[in-house]
């Protein structure tokens, strides 16, 4: 299918696991907008509010002043974007991406686009150091530096300050871009940058900066990450070395574009697409790569333990449940611990001890293991207040922690384990962002 030609094509999805509303067959409707690198089509379907975005084999720079055909770019861009967006959806971020349809196109929630480019930077380079004379290339921003640019090719996308953006009161679909919505998009931009930075770090590649766009979903009026994130959207430096850059900056830097240059660019774009496929596969495997082992003193504590398990599962942490009493089956408790410790040499593990009345379990396993232990005693009506001391007051030399809420125990254990896995780190980060947004909206 070529951009602009718009033949009616039947797309059928073959993925039976996906949400039904996203999965029904559709036919291609009319083209409703065409940009430099993509064409967007209406689709005819029972479920409204979606569109088809088709990539083109075009690379541009300087707001379109420089433009080349790059054979294969549409496929590489689609694959890169799909890997990134699926990853972000999996972390719990709201994006317009629904699913890939074929090698050059994907199904998306149809948005009214907010005409702002949101830029996040970890390292100062490029236009930033030209605009901020005196700041050396390589200066690190912590937290990432945010900038906003109004999308206006003719005027070379002027930078807008926070104040200009507020005063513009941009109208997009049914919403007006208020200071609160700007705060939310800023928060989302930083979070998206941080999780992508973590993902790239797993391949020893530094994410230097990134630009993204938001849209307002026409069906729900939600603000979502829209457009695409592909190799044109960021600077990435393998090993943090600028000379090894693999992104569109290589093209921007070319004075004249030779066939050899185009070949080199294509190799870079292919490398990036392959790396992202590998990163997203590794993230899927990450789902079982760290573990919380919940030891309960009695099977009566199962309901409490299942709440801990649910909290872990949501964050991508494997959770195993064990029953053993440190008082009544001490030898079995130590055997169970020895097995968990052995497995922990392959799978980083946090222990959670669930024991009511007199909690011997947590302190005993803590005193016999180097693994971190969190006590999470089940609530008890009768002696609850006094029982807690058996978890809090420890023999000298011990260091187990105590959390009363099963969700809190799951969160704390996952935070300890997050250092080993970008998946858990990212899900926690996105959850924190979502709390922040929910509280702001509630206010
Ligand atoms: N989910 C979506 N719903 C509706 N429109 C979208 C969506 N995602 C992207 N678009 C729009 O598709 C158009 C084509 O994208 P493309 O990036 O090629 O445009 P462009 O030439 O770069 O122009 P722009 O400067 O607006 O990005 C853009 O106007 C973009 O805003
Ligand atoms: Mg664009």
């Amino acid at each position: 299918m070529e951009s602009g030609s718009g033949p009616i094509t039947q797309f059928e999805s073959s993925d039976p696991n996906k949400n039904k509303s996203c999965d029904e067959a559709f036919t291609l409707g009319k083209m409703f907008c065409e940009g430099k690198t993509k064409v967007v089509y209406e689709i005819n379907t029972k479920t409204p509010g979606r569109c088809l975005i088709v990539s083109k084999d075009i690379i541009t720079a300087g707001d379109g002043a420089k433009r080349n055909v790059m054979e294969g770019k549409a496929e590489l861009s689609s694959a890169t974007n799909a890997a990134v967006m699926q990853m972000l959806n999996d972390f719990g971020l709201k994006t317009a991406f629904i699913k890939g349809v074929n090698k050059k196109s994907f199904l998306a929630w149809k948005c009214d686009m907010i005409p702002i480019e949101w830029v996040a930077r970890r390292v100062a380079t490029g236009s930033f150091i030209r605009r901020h004379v005196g700041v050396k290339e390589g200066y690190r921003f912590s937290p990432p530096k945010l900038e906003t640019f109004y999308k206006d090719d003719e005027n070379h996308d002027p930078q807008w300050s926070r104040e200009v953006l507020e005063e513009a009161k941009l109208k997009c679909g049914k919403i007006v871009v208020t200071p609160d919505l700007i705060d939310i998009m800023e928060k989302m931009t930083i979070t998206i940058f941080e999780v992508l930075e973590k993902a790239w770090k797993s391949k020893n590649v530094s994410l230097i900066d990134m630009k993204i766009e938001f849209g307002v979903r026409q069906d729900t009026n939600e603000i979502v990450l829209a457009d695409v994130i592909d190799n044109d959207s960021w600077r990435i430096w393998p090993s943090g070395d600028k000379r090894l850059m693999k992104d569109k900056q290589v093209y921007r830097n070319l004075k004249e574009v030779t066939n050899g240059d185009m070949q080199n660019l294509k190799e870079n774009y292919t490398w990036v697409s392959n790396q992202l496929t590998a990163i997203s596969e590794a993230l899927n495997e990450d789902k079982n790569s760290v573990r919380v082992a919940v030891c309960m003193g009695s099977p009566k504590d199962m309901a409490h333990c299942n709440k801990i398990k649910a909290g872990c599962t949501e964050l991508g942490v494997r959770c195993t449940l064990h029953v053993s009493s440190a008082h009544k089956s001490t030898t079995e408790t130590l055997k169970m611990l020895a097995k968990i410790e052995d497995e922990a040499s392959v799978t980083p593990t946090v222990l959670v001890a669930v024991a009511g009345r007199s909690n011997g379990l947590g302190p005993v396993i803590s005193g016999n293991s180097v693994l971190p232990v969190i006590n999470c005693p089940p609530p008890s009506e009768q002696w609850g207040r006094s029982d807690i001391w058996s978890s809090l007051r420890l023999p000298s030399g011990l260091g187990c922690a105590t959390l009363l809420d099963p969700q809190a125990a799951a969160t704390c254990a996952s935070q300890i384990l997050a250092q080993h896995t970008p998946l858990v780190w990212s899900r926690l980060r996105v959850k924190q962002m979502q709390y922040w947004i929910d509280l702001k909206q509630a206010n």
Side-chain angles (χ1 to χ4, degrees):
M1 182 169 53
E2 269 314 309
S3 56
S5 57
I8 300 292
T9 314
Q10 179 90 31
F11 291 93
E12 295 236 25
S13 161
S14 56
D15 183 352
N17 298 322
K18 282 280 157 69
N19 173 344
K20 181 88 180 63
S21 72
C22 306
D23 219 35
E24 71 204 34
F26 58 86
T27 55
L28 200 61
K30 66 176 198 305
M31 178 180 103
F32 76 86
C33 82
E34 172 160 16
K36 297 185 286 287
T37 58
K38 279 158 280 166
V39 194
V40 189
Y41 293 91
E42 308 269 4
I43 58 170
N44 306 312
T45 166
K46 276 184 243 141
T47 316
R50 300 176 301 160
C51 60
L52 188 80
I53 302 187
V54 185
S55 292
K56 304 198 249 183
D57 280 342
I58 299 290
I59 185 165
T60 72
D63 305 311
K66 184 161 154 189
R67 182 180 184 280
N68 283 84
V69 173
M70 181 175 153
E71 208 196 307
K73 178 165 185 284
E75 288 190 15
L76 292 166
S77 166
S78 294
T80 303
N81 175 59
V84 170
M85 293 295 177
Q86 269 157 10
M87 196 150 77
L88 297 177
N89 283 341
D90 186 38
F91 295 158
L93 278 152
K94 292 184 176 132
T95 82
F97 181 88
I98 301 173
K99 59 184 292 198
V101 169
N102 60 30
K103 285 184 173 175
K104 294 185 185 180
S105 65
F106 68 94
L107 201 57
W109 297 111
K110 195 172 170 194
C111 294
D112 291 303
M113 297 299 294
I114 298 169
I116 296 291
E117 292 195 342
W118 304 78
V119 174
R121 302 174 184 274
R122 176 65 80 191
V123 177
T125 185
S127 75
F128 187 91
I129 50 174
R130 285 196 295 276
R131 283 181 282 118
H132 298 267
V133 176
V135 178
K136 287 198 190 69
E137 181 163 62
Y139 177 96
R140 280 184 77 82
F141 304 103
S142 314
K145 182 83 179 167
L146 260 176
E147 294 178 319
T148 44
F149 297 85
Y150 180 60
K151 287 178 65 79
D152 177 3
D153 277 349
E154 273 175 27
N155 292 302
H156 305 290
D157 295 351
Q159 185 175 15
W160 272 15
S161 67
R162 168 79 194 211
E163 294 74 21
V164 175
L165 184 50
E166 281 186 18
E167 292 289 78
K169 299 184 176 66
L170 293 170
K171 287 195 183 62
C172 302
K174 292 206 178 75
I175 68 139
V176 177
V177 177
T178 59
D180 281 339
L181 291 181
I182 299 169
D183 287 342
I184 288 172
M185 285 185 273
E186 285 182 353
K187 187 82 180 171
M188 288 175 79
T189 304
I190 296 286
T191 306
I192 291 163
F193 182 88
E194 287 177 330
V195 298
L196 293 179
E197 180 182 47
K198 266 276 180 259
W200 270 119
K201 196 83 203 145
S202 68
K203 293 281 173 197
N204 192 25
V205 174
S206 299
L207 180 62
I208 302 299
D209 51 33
M210 162 199 96
K211 79 106 199 167
I212 55 175
E213 294 174 31
F214 292 96
V216 182
R217 260 175 73 163
Q218 289 185 353
D219 59 340
T220 61
N221 293 320
E222 273 175 301
I223 292 189
V224 294
L225 171 67
D227 202 57
V228 298
I229 299 184
D230 61 14
N231 199 30
D232 296 350
S233 311
W234 52 34
R235 283 188 177 86
I236 44 169
W237 297 353
S239 308
D241 186 340
K242 184 180 179 184
R243 293 166 300 179
L244 304 178
M245 65 171 80
K246 292 283 187 195
D247 54 83
K248 191 169 96 169
Q249 192 59 36
V250 175
Y251 174 73
R252 290 192 198 98
N253 290 348
L254 294 171
K255 298 248 152 40
E256 275 167 57
V257 186
T258 65
N259 287 342
D261 291 328
M262 287 314 291
Q263 192 53 39
N264 176 40
L265 280 170
K266 194 171 171 185
E267 278 163 25
N268 287 350
Y269 275 66
T270 307
W271 183 87
V272 169
S273 165
N274 290 342
Q275 293 294 306
L276 276 159
T277 308
I279 289 171
S280 64
E281 280 168 9
L283 281 168
N284 269 329
E285 283 162 22
D286 257 11
K287 279 176 190 149
N288 285 320
S289 69
V290 293
R291 170 197 191 183
V292 167
V294 178
C295 306
M296 66 194 101
S298 156
K300 288 185 200 134
D301 301 329
M302 191 59 89
H304 187 72
C305 295
N306 275 331
K307 288 183 194 158
I308 302 173
K309 183 169 183 165
C312 292
T313 307
E314 190 197 337
L315 292 167
V317 174
R318 185 158 80 98
C319 180
T320 53
L321 302 180
H322 312 263
V323 182
S324 189
S325 163
H327 291 126
K328 295 184 249 182
S329 61
T330 316
T331 50
E332 285 300 310
T333 303
L334 293 174
K335 245 202 258 176
M336 175 194 73
L337 181 60
K339 187 154 188 287
I340 292 170
E341 283 211 298
D342 187 25
E343 290 159 356
S345 63
V346 181
T347 309
T349 300
V350 171
L351 288 153
V352 176
V354 175
R357 297 189 187 219
S358 166
N359 175 21
L361 188 62
V364 164
I365 57 180
S366 180
N368 288 276
S369 170
V370 174
L371 298 175
V373 178
I374 300 167
N375 298 305
C376 186
S380 136
E381 302 235 319
Q382 207 181 353
W383 295 99
R385 286 196 187 159
S386 346
D387 289 353
I388 193 75
W389 290 106
S390 62
S391 296
L392 294 180
R393 188 81 181 119
L394 304 171
S396 62
L398 265 63
C400 44
T402 297
L403 288 164
L404 298 181
D405 180 57
Q407 181 62 53
T411 304
C412 179
S414 304
Q415 284 183 316
I416 294 168
L417 295 165
Q419 294 161 70
H420 300 277
T421 141
L423 174 77
V424 180
W425 193 96
S426 300
R427 286 202 179 160
L428 279 162
R429 198 54 154 173
V430 171
K431 219 174 157 192
Q432 290 170 340
M433 176 202 81
Q434 201 54 53
Y435 282 135
W436 188 95
I437 293 175
D438 290 349
L439 283 166
K440 190 168 179 78
Q441 282 172 339
N443 186 28

